Structures are given as structure tokens and as C-alpha cells.
Tab-separated table of all heavy atoms in Angstrom:
chain	number	residue	atom	x	y	z
R	1	LEU	N	7.965	21.682	0.411
R	1	LEU	CA	7.747	20.470	1.059
R	1	LEU	C	6.332	20.376	1.452
R	1	LEU	O	5.559	19.317	1.290
R	1	LEU	CB	8.555	20.185	2.293
R	1	LEU	CG	10.089	19.883	2.019
R	1	LEU	CD1	10.842	19.834	3.342
R	1	LEU	CD2	10.228	18.603	1.208
R	2	ILE	N	5.678	21.460	2.087
R	2	ILE	CA	4.274	21.472	2.405
R	2	ILE	C	3.420	21.308	1.224
R	2	ILE	O	2.428	20.577	1.267
R	2	ILE	CB	4.056	22.735	3.155
R	2	ILE	CG1	4.670	22.734	4.510
R	2	ILE	CG2	2.489	22.938	3.338
R	2	ILE	CD1	4.673	24.046	5.317
R	3	ILE	N	3.729	22.052	0.088
R	3	ILE	CA	2.862	21.903	-1.112
R	3	ILE	C	2.908	20.492	-1.692
R	3	ILE	O	1.959	20.006	-2.075
R	3	ILE	CB	3.360	23.031	-2.098
R	3	ILE	CG1	3.159	24.347	-1.587
R	3	ILE	CG2	2.651	22.795	-3.445
R	3	ILE	CD1	1.666	24.753	-1.275
R	4	ASN	N	4.215	19.989	-1.769
R	4	ASN	CA	4.261	18.561	-2.249
R	4	ASN	C	3.554	17.548	-1.473
R	4	ASN	O	2.836	16.756	-1.973
R	4	ASN	CB	5.782	18.166	-2.399
R	4	ASN	CG	6.452	18.901	-3.542
R	4	ASN	OD1	5.805	19.292	-4.479
R	4	ASN	ND2	7.696	18.881	-3.492
R	5	SER	N	3.541	17.787	-0.152
R	5	SER	CA	2.834	16.871	0.743
R	5	SER	C	1.329	17.001	0.477
R	5	SER	O	0.615	15.921	0.461
R	5	SER	CB	3.164	17.167	2.305
R	5	SER	OG	2.367	16.340	3.141
R	6	LEU	N	0.835	18.136	0.381
R	6	LEU	CA	-0.612	18.354	0.220
R	6	LEU	C	-1.061	17.842	-1.096
R	6	LEU	O	-2.080	17.169	-1.238
R	6	LEU	CB	-0.957	19.776	0.306
R	6	LEU	CG	-0.889	20.397	1.708
R	6	LEU	CD1	-1.123	21.939	1.655
R	6	LEU	CD2	-1.872	19.729	2.682
R	7	ALA	N	-0.255	17.912	-2.143
R	7	ALA	CA	-0.522	17.479	-3.509
R	7	ALA	C	-0.574	16.030	-3.556
R	7	ALA	O	-1.412	15.418	-4.143
R	7	ALA	CB	0.428	18.084	-4.541
R	8	SER	N	0.315	15.366	-2.938
R	8	SER	CA	0.348	13.857	-2.872
R	8	SER	C	-0.822	13.294	-2.169
R	8	SER	O	-1.261	12.253	-2.459
R	8	SER	CB	1.707	13.461	-2.394
R	8	SER	OG	1.814	13.668	-0.960
R	9	GLN	N	-1.202	14.004	-1.109
R	9	GLN	CA	-2.439	13.465	-0.358
R	9	GLN	C	-3.585	13.493	-1.186
R	9	GLN	O	-4.546	12.605	-1.145
R	9	GLN	CB	-2.633	14.247	0.933
R	9	GLN	CG	-1.582	14.096	2.017
R	9	GLN	CD	-1.799	14.988	3.137
R	9	GLN	OE1	-2.680	15.742	3.178
R	9	GLN	NE2	-0.960	14.906	4.164
R	10	ASN	N	-3.841	14.540	-1.958
R	10	ASN	CA	-4.934	14.607	-2.768
R	10	ASN	C	-4.993	13.884	-4.102
R	10	ASN	O	-5.986	13.660	-4.768
R	10	ASN	CB	-5.343	16.075	-3.118
R	10	ASN	CG	-5.679	16.976	-1.939
R	10	ASN	OD1	-6.197	16.386	-1.008
R	10	ASN	ND2	-5.334	18.232	-1.968
R	11	SER	N	-3.834	13.327	-4.476
R	11	SER	CA	-3.865	12.625	-5.794
R	11	SER	C	-4.131	11.140	-5.705
R	11	SER	O	-4.328	10.607	-6.691
R	11	SER	CB	-2.437	12.871	-6.430
R	11	SER	OG	-1.442	12.266	-5.634
R	12	THR	N	-4.146	10.592	-4.515
R	12	THR	CA	-4.422	9.243	-4.355
R	12	THR	C	-5.888	8.998	-3.841
R	12	THR	O	-6.191	9.473	-2.738
R	12	THR	CB	-3.435	8.576	-3.406
R	12	THR	OG1	-2.136	8.826	-3.768
R	12	THR	CG2	-3.636	7.027	-3.273
R	13	PRO	N	-6.773	8.436	-4.697
R	13	PRO	CA	-8.116	8.316	-4.203
R	13	PRO	C	-8.185	7.276	-3.069
R	13	PRO	O	-7.387	6.245	-2.996
R	13	PRO	CB	-8.883	7.905	-5.420
R	13	PRO	CG	-7.850	7.517	-6.363
R	13	PRO	CD	-6.512	8.077	-5.925
R	14	THR	N	-9.180	7.405	-2.142
R	14	THR	CA	-9.451	6.435	-1.185
R	14	THR	C	-10.110	5.285	-1.766
R	14	THR	O	-10.946	5.382	-2.616
R	14	THR	CB	-10.420	7.098	-0.053
R	14	THR	OG1	-9.850	8.229	0.418
R	14	THR	CG2	-10.688	6.128	1.017
R	15	VAL	N	-9.615	4.031	-1.412
R	15	VAL	CA	-10.290	2.790	-1.845
R	15	VAL	C	-11.078	2.118	-0.788
R	15	VAL	O	-10.609	2.074	0.373
R	15	VAL	CB	-9.189	1.872	-2.412
R	15	VAL	CG1	-9.724	0.576	-2.862
R	15	VAL	CG2	-8.377	2.507	-3.515
R	16	VAL	N	-12.271	1.734	-1.027
R	16	VAL	CA	-13.120	1.098	-0.062
R	16	VAL	C	-13.653	-0.240	-0.578
R	16	VAL	O	-13.666	-0.522	-1.874
R	16	VAL	CB	-14.308	1.979	0.407
R	16	VAL	CG1	-13.775	3.194	1.097
R	16	VAL	CG2	-15.161	2.380	-0.854
R	17	THR	N	-14.125	-1.092	0.259
R	17	THR	CA	-14.673	-2.454	-0.196
R	17	THR	C	-16.171	-2.406	0.057
R	17	THR	O	-16.654	-2.033	1.088
R	17	THR	CB	-14.003	-3.570	0.592
R	17	THR	OG1	-12.667	-3.519	0.510
R	17	THR	CG2	-14.519	-4.879	0.169
R	18	ALA	N	-16.936	-2.792	-0.947
R	18	ALA	CA	-18.381	-2.883	-0.845
R	18	ALA	C	-18.820	-4.030	0.012
R	18	ALA	O	-18.223	-5.090	0.064
R	18	ALA	CB	-18.983	-3.106	-2.364
R	19	GLN	N	-19.703	-3.765	0.833
R	19	GLN	CA	-20.308	-4.647	1.803
R	19	GLN	C	-21.686	-5.082	1.383
R	19	GLN	O	-22.285	-4.509	0.511
R	19	GLN	CB	-20.512	-3.966	3.193
R	19	GLN	CG	-19.212	-3.275	3.836
R	19	GLN	CD	-18.143	-4.329	4.015
R	19	GLN	OE1	-18.330	-5.364	4.533
R	19	GLN	NE2	-16.949	-4.055	3.580
R	20	PRO	N	-22.178	-6.230	1.934
R	20	PRO	CA	-23.541	-6.709	1.540
R	20	PRO	C	-24.538	-5.595	1.805
R	20	PRO	O	-24.525	-4.912	2.796
R	20	PRO	CB	-23.710	-7.892	2.475
R	20	PRO	CG	-22.332	-8.327	2.892
R	20	PRO	CD	-21.521	-7.137	2.897
R	21	GLY	N	-25.355	-5.431	0.763
R	21	GLY	CA	-26.479	-4.472	0.895
R	21	GLY	C	-26.059	-3.082	0.461
R	21	GLY	O	-26.822	-2.159	0.416
R	22	ASP	N	-24.812	-2.881	0.120
R	22	ASP	CA	-24.364	-1.521	-0.374
R	22	ASP	C	-24.879	-1.257	-1.800
R	22	ASP	O	-24.821	-2.208	-2.688
R	22	ASP	CB	-22.797	-1.521	-0.338
R	22	ASP	CG	-22.213	-1.118	0.929
R	22	ASP	OD1	-23.014	-0.893	1.860
R	22	ASP	OD2	-20.974	-1.191	1.045
R	23	GLY	N	-25.201	-0.030	-1.998
R	23	GLY	CA	-25.411	0.582	-3.385
R	23	GLY	C	-24.497	1.708	-3.314
R	23	GLY	O	-23.783	2.065	-2.391
R	24	ILE	N	-24.458	2.403	-4.477
R	24	ILE	CA	-23.490	3.504	-4.558
R	24	ILE	C	-23.793	4.604	-3.600
R	24	ILE	O	-22.901	5.065	-2.951
R	24	ILE	CB	-23.515	4.066	-5.997
R	24	ILE	CG1	-22.925	2.935	-6.985
R	24	ILE	CG2	-22.593	5.232	-6.112
R	24	ILE	CD1	-23.115	3.333	-8.478
R	25	TYR	N	-25.080	5.025	-3.503
R	25	TYR	CA	-25.484	6.070	-2.571
R	25	TYR	C	-25.129	5.722	-1.163
R	25	TYR	O	-24.586	6.551	-0.378
R	25	TYR	CB	-26.978	6.297	-2.656
R	25	TYR	CG	-27.443	7.052	-3.830
R	25	TYR	CD1	-28.115	6.436	-4.863
R	25	TYR	CD2	-27.065	8.396	-4.114
R	25	TYR	CE1	-28.545	7.034	-6.077
R	25	TYR	CE2	-27.403	8.988	-5.214
R	25	TYR	CZ	-28.188	8.369	-6.164
R	25	TYR	OH	-28.502	8.949	-7.327
R	26	LYS	N	-25.337	4.497	-0.742
R	26	LYS	CA	-25.004	4.048	0.653
R	26	LYS	C	-23.481	4.069	0.901
R	26	LYS	O	-23.011	4.494	1.979
R	26	LYS	CB	-25.631	2.628	0.950
R	26	LYS	CG	-25.467	2.140	2.418
R	26	LYS	CD	-26.154	0.917	2.604
R	26	LYS	CE	-26.129	0.401	4.003
R	26	LYS	NZ	-26.733	-0.901	4.092
R	27	LEU	N	-22.743	3.666	-0.022
R	27	LEU	CA	-21.359	3.592	-0.031
R	27	LEU	C	-20.815	5.097	0.135
R	27	LEU	O	-19.891	5.361	0.962
R	27	LEU	CB	-20.745	2.878	-1.161
R	27	LEU	CG	-19.223	2.653	-1.135
R	27	LEU	CD1	-18.891	1.512	-0.089
R	27	LEU	CD2	-18.603	2.200	-2.475
């Protein structure tokens, strides 16, 4: 259960929204 929990946390990338003035480095 612990291994499956850790694996599922790492498999979904974080999604963010670009704000005015953002470039890739800033984001």
C-alpha cells in the first residue's frame, strides 16, 4: 500500500496556470 501510494503521487504531474508576465524560467 505504501509503495502504491508513493508511485501514484509521482506519476501525476503538477498542473499550473501561466500568469501575466510569466516566462518558462519564472514559472
Side-chain angles (χ1 to χ4, degrees):
L1 289 173
I2 290 170
I3 295 298
N4 285 337
S5 175
L6 292 174
S8 67
Q9 288 177 0
N10 290 333
S11 63
T12 306
T14 301
V15 177
V16 297
T17 303
Q19 304 299 315
D22 276 353
I24 296 174
Y25 287 111
K26 187 174 181 179
L27 188 73

